[in-house]
Every structure is written in C-alpha cells, then in structure tokens.
C-alpha cells in the first residue's frame, strides 16, 4: 500500500524572527521583577534620586571608603546572571542555567559594562554545549559515579566558558554595544529617532518587536540609564499612547462588535499594559498602522525634545508601570509623550475610519484569530474581544484555538509518574502511526506544568487544577486512558494543524461523546490522571520533572529492562491470583509488594490511597495503576513495579479491574516497563493472553517481547 507523504508547513522569515524574539523575551521577561527592583532603587537612592542615600545609591564615601551601593552591583552582576541562568535553563534545565551563568561571569568581568547581550549569548550557549557534552557519556557512567562526573564536567566546562567569555565574547559584545550606542546617539543628535516608529509599530502588530525590544533596546537602555540616570529607549516600544488612540477612534467612529468592545480593550491596554489587545483592530483595517506610527513618532519626538526617559524597562506597558519607572526630572515629558501620542494616533485613525468604507467591524473574531496565528499561540485576552471563552470556561468547556501546528503535547496528572505516562505511550504511537513522529508527547505532574504546550490532556477530575498553568493550550479531558475516543480526535487535530495550508484548528465541543463529559477546549479543560508513560519511553519524554531525554528504551521490558538498568519488575513482584476483594485492599497488596522490594517505605502506601481518593487510577481495559501523590516522592527509595492479577475482578469505583500495577518511580527508570504494559493493554489479544497466563514467566515474557 502506498504511503502518503505529509507536506510539512514552510516556515517564513517572519516566523523565524518571531521565534528568535520570543526566545530573547523568554530570557528577559521572567526577570522583569528584578529590573523593576533595580529601577526603583535607582530612582530613590542615587544622588539625583528622590531619597538620596550614599550607601545605597553608590555615591560619596563612608569612613574614607567609596560607597559601592546597590545600583552598580545589581546592574553589573545580578541582572546579567539572572538572564544567563534563565537562558541556559530554557535550553537545558537547571544544569544548563548554572553553566551558562558561570560562563557569563567571564563576559561580565572582561567587559566592565553591563553585559545583557553577553548574557543572552553565554546563557543559551552554556546550556546547549553542556547538553551536548552530557550526551557523549549518557548511559555509560557506572552506578555511584554519576554525581562525581556530573559535578566535575559542569565545573570544568563552566570554567572554560568563563575564559572564553573573558577573552573572546566580551571584546566582541563590548564593540557591538559601543557601536549600537553610537548609532542611537546619532539618531538622537540628528532628530531621527522618531523614524524608528516606522519599524517598531508594525513589528508590534506582527509580534516581531521582542527581537528589537529585548535584544537591543533594553540592553542599550540599561547601559544608558546607568550612565545618564534615564533612557528614552525604554519608551520606544512601551508607550501605550499609539494603541490607546486607535481604540478611542473605534469608540467614537466604530460600529458593531468593534465599537462595543473598544472601551474594555482600552482599559486592558492602557491600565493593564497588554498591548496585543488592540492588534486585531489594526488588522481589521491595515491602514490604521499609519495611526500607530504617527502616535509613536509623536511620543518619541516629545521625549527627545523634553530630554525625558525612564530609569528601567516598563513591563508590562501599563501607564502605571511607565510612571513607576519615570525619572524624577521626566514626569512632565513622559506624561506629555503619552498624551500627545494618543492624540496623534486618535486623529489619524479617526480620519482613516471616516474617509474609508469598510465593513470590518463584523470581522473582529476573524482578525483576532489572525492575530493569534501570527503570535503562534492563543492570546490571553482574546476572549475580551470575541466574547468566546468566558462563558465556555465557566461551563467547563469551550473551544481552544490553535494558532499554529501542534508540536508539544503533554499528559498531566498529580504525580506525573504512572497514569499520565501510560496514556502518553498510547497517544504517541497513534500520532507516530499517522505520520507525525516529530510531535513531542510527554507527561508531567500538574505542579510542573508550564504554559508552552499546544495540547494538554488530563483526567476530567483534575481539569480545574491544570487550567491556571496552561491557559494558552487546547485541553482535552479523558476518563479512560487506554482507549479514549479523544485520542483519535487529537490525532486528527495534529493532522489538520500540521499539514501545509491547514487553517487554525479548533478543539471539539466540550463533552462531545465522551464518558464523564470529556472535553477539548478553551484555556484548560485538563487535569491528568492520564497518559504518558510509554511516551517517555519511546521518545525520551520526561516523567514529572525528570530530564526529557532520560527515559530508557522500551524493548526489553521484562525482568532486566535495558542493559545495565536496575530490575524494575522482578519475579517476586508478580502475583497471578491476588487475594484482595476490594479496591483499597488491592492497593495495599500492590503497595506491600513494593515495600517488600525495599522500593518504598510505609508512608508511600498511605500516599497511594490518598492519590486514589483524589483521582481514580483506573486506566480502562481492566487495568488500574495505583501510585503515590507528587508529594510522596520522598518515600520512594528506588524504582519498582508490581503486577497483580485478579481473575474474578474487583470493583474499582464502578469499573471492573482484573489487573493492578503498583508504581513507584525515580526519574524515568520505570518508564520502559510501563511502556510495555501500555502496549499490552491496548491490544485485546494481548490482554486475553495475560488473562490466560498460567505462570509468572509468561507475564514477564509478554511484557518483555511486546516491543521487539
């Protein structure tokens, strides 16, 4: 039979720049609180501040010794190191962050000026190179030597990177910073700085501004602020005036949904600082970009004429954040810049709206969807414009909008240890069979979720817990992890969104056709007892907070596991005829087998019952996999799995269970056996063989050969 080749979507230059900007923003934005703290300390305690304090502001002497203060060390060391650590961790978790920060110290000392650009280089470089080095001996370290090898390799490589930063990176970045600073000063001296709005304002609407703002303007602005006490560069992009002017024009001259939603959008934009709220209004009438440019140019010109600026970045771009970071001598200029930018934008937008005919006000939802496609994910404020989402969320469902191809799917459960891993294995195999092996399917504990997943799958009882952490994802709730009909819907979603020319996909209506009201939708219908054990095994997914590439290969999932791996499923942990007659007794029996192996202590068995009371570990296909809560990991001494068969069946919260698999996992060590178990229980033939098994060897052989 001919194999159909699925065309991969082409990635435009805009998307590449957008991704680069998003990566830069990812290093800066988590640390904005530190920037604000530095800005407040600077505004208050420097010599020209509101409350000058020599010991804090770093001026004057105390007992004949020059005061160091907080301002200089924070900008020189704290902020660059935070940025470097964040960048390194984005690439290679904590280990990458530490090595990236070590390397950045070399750049800081070698340059002698605030090294934000250097930190943005060394942080990710340290994380990436450390990851590559670790991959050289991954799986080859003898037990007991892991800590020695890991610590010394990170220390030695970090020291070498620090030398590289000192001698190699620092001079280059210093030269670039000085050159860029001269360009900015040239623009200021010749009155050309307002022309930057011609690029910045369209870039904002296209979500390309992060590369400019966080890659160049913020580092240069910080350097300028350190030298002059303020910088105009912090307001080139953050001025809320241009967007406010456009929204005011819609309030007066708009029609329909656009006119009705403009006041609320104006409040979110101006007071909340979420500028993307006005982007759909510009996309409805592209000519309105001229209004944004006019407003931006007016604001920058006002700042230049009055010599005004901020002491630190204003993020988000709220008027409150702008005023909080305004230099002591710049309040009049900054306020005028915002007001005049608003006025100029309003005038130009009003003229455009009054002199051009367009039935765009009915296209607000379409414009919002286009905005989300350009952004690359669902907007956190889009429901304010479209009215979709609030009601749906309240009802426990809604429609999640994908703004691009599905690349990252996560199964989430309380501990991220067992049930989520099982489901992920099933779905990964389905997605791979559909021709999309590049789609990553992982599992995680709810406590470790981040808002960077495209799709989140959880147990229906855990949905509300997963919502706050993953509001941008499409969510699916399930109650059967081995054979949920939702899996076929997700595969179809992947096929539609990952095929060239596909339109932004929508999740199915909440509760459609699944037991227990399973839903796929809006910002978060997920919670996870669910499904990602084998996922981790076959693609290197992570369980809970384990490293993504640490899962052992499935394929020898019997008594020995992978070569050299610890024995996860031992003969003595397999019982063909369990004695329990109730759910709780079966959990005790499975837990006692783990205890007898020395894998857990007594507290873990209690945690298994606690987990079962919160969310059922019933997986479907007569299978339950009880395990402890996320908080019970301290009770695990080593990874182990127990298997008990109950030929007559046990009532498990109204479901019949014939097989109970007790799970205790450290990192990813247990995932290879769970992958095999998952594959057995997705095949009726294999389940029948398991029911008919007459010896422990048959069970071990079945689990061991299922992947061969």
């Amino acid at each position: 039979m001919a194999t159909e080749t699925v065309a991969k979507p082409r990635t435009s230059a805009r998307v590449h720049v957008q991704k680069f900007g998003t990566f830069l923003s990812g290093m800066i934005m988590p640390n904005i609180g530190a920037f604000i703290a530095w800005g407040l300390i600077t505004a208050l305690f420097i010599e020209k501040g509101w409350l000058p304090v020599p010991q804090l502001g770093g001026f004057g002497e105390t007992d004949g010794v020059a005061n160091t203060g907080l301002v200089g060390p924070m900008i020189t060391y704290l902020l660059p190191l935070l940025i470097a650590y964040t960048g390194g961790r984005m690439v290679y978790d904590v280990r990458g962050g530490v090595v990236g920060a070590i390397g950045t110290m070399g750049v800081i000392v070698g340059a002698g000026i605030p090294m934000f650009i250097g930190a943005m280089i060394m942080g990710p470089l340290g994380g990436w190179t450390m990851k590559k080095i670790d991959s050289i001996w991954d799986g080859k370290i003898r037990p007991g030597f892991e800590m020695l090898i890991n610590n010394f390799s990170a220390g030695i490589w970090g020291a070498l990177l620090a030398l590289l930063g000192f001698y190699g990176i620092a001079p280059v970045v210093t030269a670039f910073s000085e050159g860029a600073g001269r360009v900015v000063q040239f623009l200021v001296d010749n009155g050309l700085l307002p022309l930057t709005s011609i690029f910045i304002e369209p870039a904002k609407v296209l979500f390309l501004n992060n590369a400019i703002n966080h890659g160049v303007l913020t580092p240069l602005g910080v350097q300028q602020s350190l030298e002059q006490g303020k910088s105009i560069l912090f307001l080139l992009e953050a001025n809320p005036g241009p967007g406010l002017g456009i929204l005011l024009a819609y309030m007066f001259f708009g029609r329909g949904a656009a006119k009705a939603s403009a006041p609320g959008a104006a409040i979110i934009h101006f007071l909340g600082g979420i500028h993307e709220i006005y982007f759909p209004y510009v996309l409805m009438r592209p000519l309105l970009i001229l209004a944004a440019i006019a407003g931006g140019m007016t604001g920058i010109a006002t700042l230049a004429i009055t010599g005004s600026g901020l002491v630190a970045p204003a993020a988000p771009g709220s008027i409150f954040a702008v005023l909080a970071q305004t230099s002591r001598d710049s309040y009049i200029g900054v306020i005028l810049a915002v007001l005049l930018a608003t006025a100029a934008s309003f005038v130009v937008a009003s003229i455009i709206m009054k002199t051009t005919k367009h039935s765009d006000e009915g296209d607000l939802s379409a414009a919002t969807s286009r905005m989300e496609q350009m952004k690359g994910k669902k907007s956190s404020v889009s429901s304010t414009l479209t009215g979709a989402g609030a009601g749906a969320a309240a009802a426990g469902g809604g429609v999640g909008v994908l703004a691009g191809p599905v690349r990252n799917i996560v199964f989430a459960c309380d501990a991220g240890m067992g049930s989520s891993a099982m489901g992920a294995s099933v779905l990964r195999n389905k997605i791979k069979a559909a021709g999309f092996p590049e789609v990553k399917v992982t599992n995680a504990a709810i406590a470790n979720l981040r808002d960077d997943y495209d799709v989140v799958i959880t147990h229906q009882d855990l949905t509300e817990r997963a919502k706050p952490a993953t509001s941008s994802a499409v969510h699916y709730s399930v109650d059967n992890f081995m054979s949920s009909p939702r899996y076929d819907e997700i595969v179809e979603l992947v096929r539609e969104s990952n095929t060239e020319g596909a339109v932004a996909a929508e999740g199915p209506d909440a509760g459609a056709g699944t037991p227990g009201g399973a839903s796929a939708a809006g910002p978060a219908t997920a919670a996870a007892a669910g499904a990602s054990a084998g996922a981790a095994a076959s693609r290197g997914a992570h369980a809970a907070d384990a490293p993504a590439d640490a899962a052992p290969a499935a394929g020898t999932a019997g008594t020995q596991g992978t070569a050299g791996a610890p024995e996860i499923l031992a003969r003595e942990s397999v019982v063909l005829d369990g004695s329990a007659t109730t759910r709780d007794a079966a959990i005790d029996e499975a837990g006692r087998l783990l205890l007898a192996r020395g894998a857990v202590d007594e507290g873990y068995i209690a945690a298994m019952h606690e987990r079962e009371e919160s969310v059922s570990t019933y997986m479907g296909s007569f299978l339950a996999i009880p395990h402890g809560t996320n908080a019970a990991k301290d009770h695990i001494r080593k990874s182990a799995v127990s298997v008990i068969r109950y030929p007559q069946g046990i009532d498990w919260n109204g479901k019949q269970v014939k097989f109970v698999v007790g799970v205790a996992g450290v990192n990813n060590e247990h995932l290879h056996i769970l992958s095999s178990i998952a594959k057995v229980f997705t095949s009726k033939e294999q389940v029948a063989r398991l029911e008919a098994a007459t010896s422990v060897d048959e069970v071990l052989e079945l689990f061991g050969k299922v992947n061969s």
Side-chain angles (χ1 to χ4, degrees):
M1 190 171 80
T3 302
E4 182 181 356
T5 302
V6 180
K8 293 185 178 180
R10 296 177 181 177
T11 305
S12 66
R14 175 184 63 79
V15 173
H16 284 299
V17 175
Q18 187 181 85
K19 288 182 177 179
F20 177 65
T22 299
F23 184 77
L24 295 178
S25 177
M27 286 189 276
I28 295 288
M29 292 306 294
N31 300 304
I32 283 296
F35 277 90
I36 292 174
W38 173 77
L40 293 175
I41 290 172
T42 301
L44 289 172
F45 303 126
I46 62 174
E47 192 169 5
K48 296 180 180 179
W50 290 99
L51 300 170
V53 178
Q55 292 82 359
L56 298 176
F59 60 92
E61 296 181 349
T62 300
D63 298 330
V65 179
N67 292 313
T68 301
L70 287 174
V71 176
M74 287 181 72
I75 198 66
T76 302
Y77 300 104
L78 175 65
L79 297 180
L81 288 176
L82 284 174
I83 292 171
Y85 176 80
T86 304
R89 184 169 182 175
M90 288 168 63
V91 175
Y92 191 38
D93 205 24
V94 173
R95 186 167 169 81
V98 171
V99 174
I102 296 171
T104 300
M105 273 303 299
V107 182
I108 292 172
V109 176
I113 61 174
M115 270 290 99
F116 293 93
I117 297 177
M120 291 180 179
I121 296 172
M122 292 303 296
L125 177 64
W128 181 77
T129 53
M130 193 70 251
K131 184 176 183 179
K132 292 299 181 182
I133 291 172
D134 282 350
S135 67
I136 296 174
W137 48 70
D138 183 35
K140 302 175 183 177
I141 303 174
R142 290 183 176 276
F145 289 86
E146 296 90 349
M147 183 176 294
L148 179 68
I149 299 298
N150 288 339
N151 287 343
F152 269 86
S153 61
I156 293 170
W157 185 243
L160 292 175
L161 282 180
L163 295 176
L164 172 65
F166 185 91
Y167 290 108
I169 305 298
V172 175
V173 176
T174 299
F176 172 80
S177 298
E178 292 174 350
R182 285 193 292 269
V183 171
V184 171
Q185 194 59 48
F186 172 81
L187 295 175
V188 173
D189 294 342
N190 292 275
L192 300 176
L193 196 61
L195 295 180
T196 59
S197 292
I198 296 174
F199 306 101
I200 291 175
E201 295 302 329
K204 289 176 67 174
V205 177
L206 296 174
F207 288 96
L208 302 177
N209 59 308
N210 283 333
I212 300 171
N213 191 35
H214 296 301
V216 179
L217 295 181
T218 293
L220 291 178
V222 168
Q223 175 66 28
Q224 193 177 73
S225 178
L226 184 64
E227 296 171 354
Q228 304 174 14
K230 60 187 174 184
S231 175
I232 191 176
L233 301 181
F234 294 133
L235 263 183
L236 296 193
E237 185 270 339
N239 190 338
L244 179 61
I246 292 173
L247 293 173
L248 289 175
Y250 268 97
M251 290 170 60
F252 286 97
F253 304 110
R255 297 187 299 274
K259 179 182 179 72
S261 60
I267 292 174
I268 293 174
H269 166 76
F270 191 65
L271 302 182
I274 309 300
H275 289 195
E276 71 184 48
I277 192 76
Y278 80 85
F279 297 172
Y281 295 87
V282 176
L283 293 174
M284 283 192 294
R285 293 195 183 213
L287 272 179
L288 289 179
I289 196 63
L290 297 177
I293 292 173
M297 293 178 67
T298 302
I300 295 172
T302 304
L303 291 170
I305 292 172
T306 59
S308 303
L310 307 185
V311 297
S318 162
I319 187 61
F320 298 123
V322 169
L323 293 177
Q325 300 292 10
T326 298
S327 175
R328 181 179 179 181
D329 60 357
S330 299
Y331 279 97
I332 293 177
V334 168
I335 293 173
L336 276 177
V338 174
L339 292 177
L340 293 179
T342 301
S345 178
F346 172 75
V347 170
V348 175
S350 299
I351 293 173
I352 292 173
M353 296 183 70
K354 294 295 288 183
T355 58
T356 59
K357 293 183 179 180
H358 202 289
S359 59
D360 50 22
E361 283 76 15
D363 298 332
L364 184 59
S365 295
T368 302
S369 296
R370 280 163 49 207
M371 180 265 287
E372 290 176 328
Q373 290 177 47
M374 289 188 293
K375 181 179 181 181
K377 64 177 183 178
K378 186 172 176 62
S379 169
S380 61
V381 294
S382 62
S383 61
T384 301
L385 306 181
T386 62
V399 177
V401 179
L402 282 177
V406 173
R407 297 290 185 223
N408 197 352
I409 300 174
V410 66
F411 277 77
C413 67
D414 180 71
M417 184 187 304
S419 50
S420 63
M422 298 285 281
S425 178
V426 175
L427 181 61
R428 178 181 291 106
N429 291 331
K430 285 179 174 288
I431 290 177
K432 185 181 293 187
F436 300 94
E438 73 282 359
V439 176
K440 187 177 182 181
V441 184
T442 58
N443 62 295
I446 287 182
N448 296 328
L449 287 177
R450 308 175 307 276
D451 196 17
D452 56 5
Y453 301 104
D454 300 314
V455 176
V456 177
I457 305 167
T458 54
H459 188 278
Q460 60 194 28
D461 293 338
L462 296 174
T463 294
E464 295 304 319
R465 286 177 54 192
K467 283 183 178 181
T470 54
S471 60
S472 298
V474 174
H475 285 261
Y476 286 80
S477 293
V478 300
D479 69 347
N480 184 326
F481 303 106
M482 302 307 300
S483 58
S484 173
R486 285 300 185 194
Y487 295 166
D488 293 332
E489 297 174 8
I490 296 169
V491 171
E492 186 59 32
L493 180 69
V494 170
R495 180 178 289 110
E496 291 178 0
S497 67
N498 289 39
T499 303
E500 186 173 8
V503 185
E506 296 183 348
D509 294 337
T514 33
S519 66
T525 316
S532 166
S538 62
R539 284 188 47 111
H542 60 283
D545 52 358
D549 55 358
T556 53
T559 60
Q560 181 59 30
T562 56
E567 189 179 46
I568 306 300
L569 177 58
R571 293 179 56 84
E572 61 267 27
S573 296
V574 179
V575 175
L576 297 182
D577 193 359
S579 60
T581 57
T582 65
R583 182 201 70 177
D584 290 346
I587 293 174
D588 282 334
E589 192 168 4
R592 291 293 171 190
L593 289 174
L594 299 176
L595 183 65
R597 289 279 309 280
V600 301
D601 59 24
E602 288 281 356
Y604 188 76
I605 299 177
M608 294 172 73
H609 287 282
E610 182 182 347
R611 170 69 169 79
E612 199 66 43
E613 290 301 324
S614 62
V615 178
S616 175
T617 57
Y618 174 73
M619 301 291 296
S621 301
F622 306 116
L623 172 67
I625 53 169
H627 54 277
T629 61
N630 191 46
K633 291 185 177 181
D634 290 341
H635 295 287
I636 302 176
R637 296 170 182 167
K638 65 179 181 179
S639 298
V641 170
S642 61
V643 177
I644 308 175
R645 184 179 66 181
Y646 297 95
Q648 305 305 317
I650 291 177
D651 178 74
W652 202 282
N653 301 328
K655 310 287 186 179
Q656 187 181 36
V657 166
K658 293 185 178 181
F659 304 94
V660 174
V661 176
V663 178
V666 177
N667 294 331
N668 296 27
E669 295 173 346
H670 62 301
L671 294 182
H672 66 285
I673 187 65
L674 289 184
S675 175
S676 295
I677 293 173
K679 290 193 175 185
V680 167
F681 281 93
T682 54
S683 167
K684 292 183 179 179
E685 178 184 351
Q686 300 284 13
V687 173
R689 288 181 57 193
L690 193 59
E691 288 187 271
T694 58
S695 69
V696 170
D697 287 336
E698 289 182 63
V699 175
L700 296 177
E701 182 182 11
L702 186 60
F703 289 152
K705 290 187 176 181
V706 74
N707 288 314
S708 59

